[in-house]
Every structure is written in C-alpha cells, then in structure tokens.
Amino acid sequence: MLIKKEYLSQPQNESCLLLIRVPFVEYQTLSVEWTDDELAWDKSVYEYDQVVLPVSKIWTPELHVTNGIITTMKHSSHDLLLYSNGTVKHTVIINAEINCEVNLFNYPFAADSCPVAIQAWTADGCGTELLLGGLKVVDGTHGDWKTENAFYARILNRDDRNYIMVELRIKYLNPFITLFLPSILIILADVISFALPLGGGERNCFKVTLVLSFTMFLIILNNELPGDGQCSPIIRTHFCISLVFLVLSMLVSLALTGLATGSINSLFCTKRSATKNTANKEEKADEEAKADISVVPLDASEEHNRMLRKVVNFLEDLAAKQLKS
C-alpha cells in the first residue's frame, strides 16, 4: 500500500524497528548496511545477485550527531549497492560542530577527550537502531589540534546513545615558539645583562628596554591565549612571574648603580646632563684658546697673521662640531 502511494519511508516489518548495521567507521565516513525486504528478488527469476540503484529513488537512513551544534550528512556517491536478499550497502559522510569542554590548564601541552553522540531516528520503540562495528581514525590533524585516538564508549545514565570518544591534543610546537621561547629568551637576556658595567647607565637602559619589550609582547599575544574558564591556563601565571622578575631586576640594577656612583643622577637612563657639562667645559676651553690665539703682535708679518687666522678658523670649526655633537 505504501509503495503504491509512492511514500518514501523506512522498510516496514512486524517489529517496527529496523537494524542499521555500521560495519566500518573511518571517523567522518561511515559504511552502513540495512535490509529492505521489499527490494529483494528471486534469483530464479532474475539471476544476478546484486544491482546498483540511485540513492534518490529508495529510502536511506538519516544519522545524527545529537550533541552537535551543526550536523550535516551527505552521500559519498549518487548510487548504492543492493543484494538479492534485500541488503543495501551505502556510504555516507557526516560533518558536525560539537561544543566540547577541553581542560587547557597545561596549555600549550593540553589534551582531553570529546564525546561524539551518533544516533539514528527512533521514537517509542519504532524507527531505526544502530549496530556499530569497527572504528578507525584517518587524517586526524586539522589546524592546531591533532586527533590522537577514537573509540566507542558509554556515558553514565545515557544508554540510548552511541558515543565516540575522540582524544584531542594541541600541537604544542607553534604555541611554544610564539609564547614560551620569546619569554625565556627575554629572561635569559636580563640575567646576562648583569655583566654590563654599572657606570654610564647602559645596564639600566637595557633593562628598561627589556621590560617595555616584554610588556608589548604580552599585549600583542593577549588574543592568542585561551579565554578564562573554570580552570585558567598556568601559562598566565608564567607570564606574570616573568614580568615581576624583570621589574625587580630593573629596580635592583637602578639601586646598585646609585650606590656605586654615589649620585642620584645615575639612577636614570640618560646622559644628557653629563654630555652638556662636558660640552660647556670644552666650549670654555676653546674660548680661552681663541682669546690667547687672537692676540697678534702689531709688527708680525702678513704671512704669520694668515697662518694664525687659519688656526683660529680650524679651532672654531672644531668647537662648533663638538657643540653640535
């Protein structure tokens, strides 16, 4: 009666429940089998054991990822295989986005498992039921995550669903290079900077530059760190301790420089006052030299006066260059 009305529904039998066998799961690709007695034929009438039919012309089961946000199932081909006893073999591809909680405390060395609940339609004892077979992981690397393993599992108080537990792990190489390695190198440079001399302010300038560089580094990479949750990543504590260490190292260096020179001016990363005082002294010395050289005897020859003017001009140019420097 249903066939004459051209209703496309699941095969009907006395038990009102159709068993969908999944002999092979290749993690995203499923090979499914079911039996449709209405599609069976007598081999004495039609001697061939199998035939290819278009997917759009017969009923095919629809599989769902019940804990997924978005789930799409598509046929891997436009045809399927039908045997004379009514067994249908087909392959489908399921893509799903799942909201999964992952423990990121050890980021970027985080790893966790995520349940994927795969189920067929059923209600009040009618519909379809899945019988899962082998499971294999293929192409488990996407982006920053890597699929370590996948296996069937049961979750407490949920016997009505079939779960695939997917073990995920972050590929730590990229976060280690962009997060850990720069901070370690900055700390190492700060430790080695104690070899610089106390006088002159070079050490203080270098340490202030390191603190500013590390602060800018944290601002730039703030979006790269995972968000806050019930368990904050320990890498945040690492960056906090590193910043405190750099600031304390800078303060200690400033204090040691002040004690070594006995002057409060050495606490600052500047040498403008010392340079200005040196330039003033040199300018006064040049003026005195110019005053002495400008005294020329009245009875000196013209050649002697010309040589003295050259010397005076040379000293004036030298003084001007020093003052400009």
Side-chain angles (χ1 to χ4, degrees), residues 182-193:
S183 62
I184 294 174
L185 294 178
I186 291 176
I187 296 296
L188 181 62
D190 182 80
V191 173
I192 298 177
S193 65

Side-chain angles (χ1 to χ4, degrees), residues 62-294:
E62 186 175 357
L63 307 180
H64 304 275
V65 178
T66 52
N67 64 338
I69 301 175
I70 300 175
T71 304
T72 58
M73 187 193 80
K74 62 181 181 180
H75 305 285
S76 62
S77 65
H78 297 286
D79 301 310
L80 49 75
L81 186 62
L82 173 64
Y83 290 88
S84 59
N85 59 357
T87 301
V88 184
K89 285 188 176 183
H90 188 37
T91 304
V92 295
I93 299 175
I94 298 179
N95 293 320
E97 294 182 7
I98 300 173
N99 185 12
C100 180
E101 294 184 357
V102 178
N103 186 1
L104 295 176
F105 178 76
N106 295 326
Y107 182 86
F109 304 98
D112 210 333
S113 59
C114 184
V116 180
I118 182 171
Q119 196 69 27
W121 178 85
T122 181
D124 295 334
C126 289
T128 54
E129 182 181 1
L130 290 181
L131 179 61
L132 299 177
L135 177 60
K136 181 180 179 181
V137 178
V138 178
D139 188 20
T141 301
H142 296 281
D144 294 332
W145 291 88
K146 180 181 180 181
T147 303
E148 294 285 334
N149 190 19
F151 57 91
Y152 297 120
R154 288 285 183 180
I155 295 182
L156 186 64
N157 300 327
R158 293 310 303 261
D159 295 333
D160 58 334
R161 294 182 179 179
N162 302 286
Y163 285 94
I164 299 177
M165 299 298 296
V166 181
E167 295 181 350
L168 303 173
R169 181 179 300 275
I170 294 181
K171 293 186 288 186
Y172 62 87
L173 183 60
N174 186 32
F176 179 82
I177 294 176
T178 57
L179 295 176
F180 269 107
L181 188 59
S183 62
I184 294 174
L185 294 178
I186 291 176
I187 296 296
L188 181 62
D190 182 80
V191 173
I192 298 177
S193 65
F194 279 99
L196 295 174
L198 290 175
E202 288 82 1
R203 181 195 290 186
N204 298 338
C205 293
F206 185 72
K207 287 185 174 293
V208 170
T209 303
L210 288 180
V211 173
L212 295 178
S213 300
F214 192 79
T215 304
M216 293 299 299
F217 169 74
L218 294 183
I219 294 174
I220 294 174
L221 295 179
N222 186 40
N223 295 330
E224 298 294 332
L225 298 177
D228 292 332
Q230 296 181 355
C231 187
S232 180
I234 195 173
I235 191 174
R236 296 182 181 273
T237 306
H238 162 73
F239 285 136
C240 180
I241 295 176
S242 299
L243 183 59
V244 171
F245 176 82
L246 289 174
V247 173
L248 290 178
S249 176
M250 179 187 66
L251 296 178
V252 170
S253 179
L254 293 174
L256 292 178
T257 304
L259 293 176
T261 59
S263 175
I264 193 63
N265 293 329
S266 61
L267 295 180
F268 301 97
C269 180
T270 177
K271 298 190 292 182
R272 292 183 179 179
S273 59
T275 305
K276 187 176 181 180
N277 293 332
T278 304
N280 292 334
K281 292 179 179 180
E282 292 178 354
E283 184 178 359
K284 291 179 179 179
D286 292 338
E287 290 178 354
E288 294 176 357
K290 288 167 59 180
D292 295 338
I293 295 173
S294 62

